[in-house]
Amino acid sequence: MTPDTIYTGDNVATLKTFPDTCIDLVVTSPPYDNLRAYGGHTWDFEGVSRELTRVLKPGGVIVWVVADATVNGSETLTSMRQAIHFKDVCGLRVHDTMIWNKGSFTAVGALASRYAPTWEYMFVYSKGAPKTFNPIKDRKNKVSGKISGKLRKANGEMVQMSTHGKERAEYGQRFGIWEVTPCGGNSTGHPAPFPLDLARDHILSWSNEGDVVLDPFAGSGTTCLAARDAGRRYVGIEINSEYVEIINRRLGLAN
């Protein structure tokens, strides 16, 4: 495994050439439920999950961004089965279940019988306790300055807040639902480019400068681009040679 490299080929076969425990963070959005063809390529979930677990360092994190198709009126729950597999078979923690609120939807007929699907899961798996957490603090607090007031205990008793008299900052730690607008149009040439802000914020949260960040479904290269710009080392794996050309162009590696 060579950092700052884009590998062209099947991700399981490529990952098998990597040494154990060489990756600090994985940020990826795999194809799910055949909603897009991506050049007609298929992939092996069990093989990918096994190899990602092997190459992940202790304390490393996998951010797995997925959703479910609706087939015959029912959501497939593929995402849930994958989360259970990562936990029960691979032995990783399901450290957090976060939500990407896209604020828009593209499913045809989505409003005919249900509320519009405007979000995706962002599962955060970890190999033991995460070794890094750099919380992003950009959520504006409703109240800032001196904190005062009382709280009601379970028995109904009112007690003074333990934080009484302390200062509350104007901005607090972000919550687990992130509102990030999907990439508009198709400026990259990829059918479903990953939002740069989403990749960047996970990279900032779960890794430090110099860490190695992997995307085994590199697509248009957004995770690799965000990792490079954040001072991390990147590794991308992409089976579609046309998409690799897009990645190289975005990273400035094209001849």
Side-chain angles (χ1 to χ4, degrees):
M1 187 277 295
T2 304
D4 302 330
T5 299
I6 304 299
Y7 292 88
T8 304
D10 176 78
N11 46 24
V12 174
T14 302
L15 285 168
K16 284 182 176 180
T17 68
F18 290 10
D20 294 348
T21 61
C22 62
I23 300 296
D24 296 283
L25 172 64
V26 177
V27 178
T28 194
S29 182
Y32 47 84
D33 285 339
N34 299 316
L35 289 177
R36 291 186 176 87
Y38 296 107
H41 301 289
T42 59
W43 64 287
D44 172 11
F45 167 70
E46 291 188 3
V48 170
S49 60
R50 179 184 64 248
E51 290 302 315
L52 289 182
T53 301
R54 182 184 64 81
V55 302
L56 195 66
K57 293 180 181 180
V61 162
I62 298 172
V63 178
W64 191 260
V65 183
V66 287
D68 296 300
T70 298
V71 179
N72 296 326
S74 175
E75 295 184 8
T76 61
L77 299 186
T78 300
S79 59
M80 296 296 183
R81 294 186 182 92
Q82 291 176 350
I84 292 169
H85 184 91
F86 270 111
K87 180 178 185 295
D88 289 353
V89 178
C90 298
L92 300 183
R93 296 185 181 187
V94 182
H95 179 71
D96 201 355
T97 301
M98 301 175 64
I99 298 295
W100 170 24
N101 179 10
K102 300 185 288 186
S104 62
F105 67 97
T106 57
V108 177
L111 301 179
S113 61
R114 60 174 176 158
Y115 295 106
T118 61
W119 57 273
E120 296 186 7
Y121 289 111
M122 299 189 294
F123 290 107
V124 180
Y125 308 124
S126 63
K127 201 173 197 177
K131 62 183 177 65
T132 301
F133 179 48
N134 305 309
I136 298 173
K137 298 181 179 181
D138 60 358
R139 176 186 54 80
K140 189 173 179 61
N141 284 316
K142 294 182 178 180
V143 178
S144 58
K146 292 286 185 181
I147 301 174
S148 62
K150 296 184 177 182
L151 292 175
R152 188 179 299 277
K153 297 173 65 177
N155 62 6
E157 178 186 358
M158 296 297 293
V159 296
Q160 194 70 45
M161 292 174 59
S162 62
T163 55
H164 179 75
K166 293 184 179 180
E167 288 281 344
R168 176 179 289 168
E170 182 179 2
Y171 290 92
Q173 185 169 315
R174 188 183 290 187
F175 293 151
I177 298 178
W178 290 4
E179 296 185 9
V180 180
T181 303
C183 297
N186 193 14
S187 58
T188 67
H190 187 274
F194 204 43
L196 186 64
D197 291 350
L198 198 69
R200 179 202 63 209
D201 288 354
H202 275 300
I203 289 166
L204 293 175
S205 297
W206 307 108
S207 69
N208 296 312
E209 289 191 14
D211 282 354
V212 179
V213 179
L214 166 68
D215 187 349
F217 300 91
S220 65
T222 298
T223 292
C224 297
L225 181 63
R228 184 198 66 182
D229 291 350
R232 278 66 167 169
R233 312 296 299 275
Y234 66 82
V235 178
I237 306 172
E238 175 54 52
I239 195 170
N240 190 316
S241 59
E242 293 181 2
Y243 298 163
V244 172
E245 292 180 6
I246 295 172
I247 298 171
N248 288 336
R249 183 172 68 247
R250 295 184 75 194
L251 290 171
L253 302 176
N255 293 327

